[in-house]
Amino acid sequence: MNYRHAYHAGNFADVMKHVLLLELMSSLQRKEGGACVIDTHAGCGEYDLRAEEAEKTQEWRQGLGRVLEQPDAVLQSYIDRVTALGAPARYPGSPRLIASMLRPQDRLIACELHTDDAQILRRLFHRDDRVAVHHRDGYASLRAFLPPRPQKRGLVLIDPPFEKPDEFARLADAIAEIRTRFHSGIVAAWYPIKHRTPVRAFHDDLKARGVRSLLACELTLRPPLDPTRLNGSGLLIANPPFGFDNRARELLAVLARILDIEGQTTAQVEWLVGE
C-alpha cells in the first residue's frame, strides 16, 4: 500500500493522536529544563483540507470537523492550537503542532523518508533553528539521535504509515530500543485498530520483551471486527508522565462522545504493564 496522509489528515485518528500529543508536550514543559522531541515519521508538516486529496475522502469532516462544530472545554487547548495554525482550511501535522509549542530551550528532530515530503518539511521550518529536518528512515535514526544531547528529557513520537506487513514488529523493536537507550524518555507510538488479533499480538510482544510502564490509549468508532476498515486508533505510551492516564481518560471520553455517529464509539485507557 502506498500511503499518503493528505487523504486522511484531520480524521478521527489524527484528532485522537494530537489531543494526546499536546497533553504529553504540556507535561514535558512543566519543568524549566529543555526537552528534545523526535518525530520518526514526520510527513510534510501540514495539509490543505481544500486540496483534491482531502476533498475526495472528506475524512476530516468526521474528525476535526465534528470537534470544531461541537467544541468542549476539555478539548479547548487542542481547538485553540489547531485553529491558530490554520484549521479548518489547513490541518497541522505532528511536527507543526510540536514546533508551535517549542520553547527556546527545546528542540525537534523531524525524520521523513519520502523525498517530496522531506523537502516540504525543510521549507516549512527553514527559519526555525529549534527544528532539524532529516531525510532518512526514522527507525534507523534512533541509534544516531538517542540519547539526545544536551537535553536529557524528551519524547519520541513514532507514527508509521503501516505500509508493510511487519510494521507492528518493527514498532515493538523501536519501542524496546528507545526504552533501553533513553530510559527517561517518553515514547508515543500510534497504531491502527482494524481487528483485535494484530493489536493483541503487538501488546503481548512488548510484554514478552520486558518493556515496563506501558499505557494503551484507544478510541474505536465501531467494534474492530472488519479487517478491511480502520475501526479505531491507538496510541501506546511508554513511560507516561505522572497522572497522564487519568487525563487521557478524560480527554478520550469527551472525544468519543463528540465523534460518535453509529452509537458504538468507545474509549479505553489501560495499563498493559506497570512500572
Side-chain angles (χ1 to χ4, degrees), residues 20 64 123 127 137 157 194-195 222 231 239:
L20 296 179
L64 170 69
R123 289 197 295 270
R127 293 185 177 180
D137 180 85
L157 173 65
K194 295 184 176 182
H195 60 113
R222 62 192 72 87
N231 297 303
N239 192 34

Side-chain angles (χ1 to χ4, degrees), residues 20 66 116 154 164 208 236 252:
L20 296 179
R66 291 182 69 85
D116 292 343
K164 299 179 180 179
L236 185 124
L252 294 189

Side-chain angles (χ1 to χ4, degrees), residues 179 183 212-214 239-240 271 273-275:
R179 294 295 290 132
H183 185 70
R212 308 293 299 174
S213 190
L214 294 174
N239 192 34
W271 283 100
V273 184
E275 188 60 59

Side-chain angles (χ1 to χ4, degrees), residues 12 16 20 191-193 196 199-200 202-203 215-221 224 232-236 248 252-253 256 265-270 272:
F12 81 94
M16 178 262 196
L20 296 179
Y191 57 91
I193 303 174
R196 274 290 165 201
V199 174
R200 190 177 297 115
F202 168 56
H203 291 172
L215 184 72
C217 305
E218 297 184 347
L219 180 75
T220 54
L221 298 183
S233 172
L235 195 69
L236 185 124
L252 294 189
T265 301
T266 62
Q268 177 175 299
V269 177
E270 176 189 9
L272 302 179

Side-chain angles (χ1 to χ4, degrees), residues 35-52:
C36 177
V37 182
I38 300 173
D39 187 346
T40 62
H41 297 75
C44 63
E46 62 180 8
Y47 303 88
D48 186 350
L49 298 182
R50 300 161 299 182
E52 179 183 354

Side-chain angles (χ1 to χ4, degrees), residues 173-266:
D173 287 341
I175 293 168
E177 181 172 7
I178 294 164
R179 294 295 290 132
T180 298
R181 299 178 64 86
F182 186 27
H183 185 70
S184 64
I186 302 165
V187 186
W190 182 86
Y191 57 91
I193 303 174
K194 295 184 176 182
H195 60 113
R196 274 290 165 201
T197 301
V199 174
R200 190 177 297 115
F202 168 56
H203 291 172
D204 289 344
D205 185 6
L206 287 167
K207 293 177 188 177
R209 294 168 186 254
V211 181
R212 308 293 299 174
S213 190
L214 294 174
L215 184 72
C217 305
E218 297 184 347
L219 180 75
T220 54
L221 298 183
R222 62 192 72 87
L225 302 175
D226 183 353
T228 66
R229 300 181 72 184
L230 181 63
N231 297 303
S233 172
L235 195 69
L236 185 124
I237 315 294
N239 192 34
F242 177 76
F244 179 82
D245 54 342
N246 291 328
R247 179 60 173 159
R249 289 186 184 98
E250 180 184 21
L251 291 165
L252 294 189
V254 171
L255 195 56
R257 174 181 58 77
I258 293 172
L259 299 183
D260 188 25
I261 298 175
E262 302 173 14
Q264 301 182 84
T265 301
T266 62

Side-chain angles (χ1 to χ4, degrees), residues 34-92:
C36 177
V37 182
I38 300 173
D39 187 346
T40 62
H41 297 75
C44 63
E46 62 180 8
Y47 303 88
D48 186 350
L49 298 182
R50 300 161 299 182
E52 179 183 354
E53 297 90 343
E55 286 289 338
K56 183 176 182 180
T57 64
Q58 295 283 302
E59 286 188 20
W60 72 271
R61 295 190 182 276
Q62 301 307 319
L64 170 69
R66 291 182 69 85
V67 172
L68 296 183
E69 289 167 3
Q70 304 175 52
D72 188 287
V74 172
L75 301 176
Q76 196 60 52
S77 62
Y78 166 80
I79 294 169
D80 290 345
R81 183 72 53 176
V82 296
T83 52
L85 295 173
R90 303 186 69 80
Y91 189 76

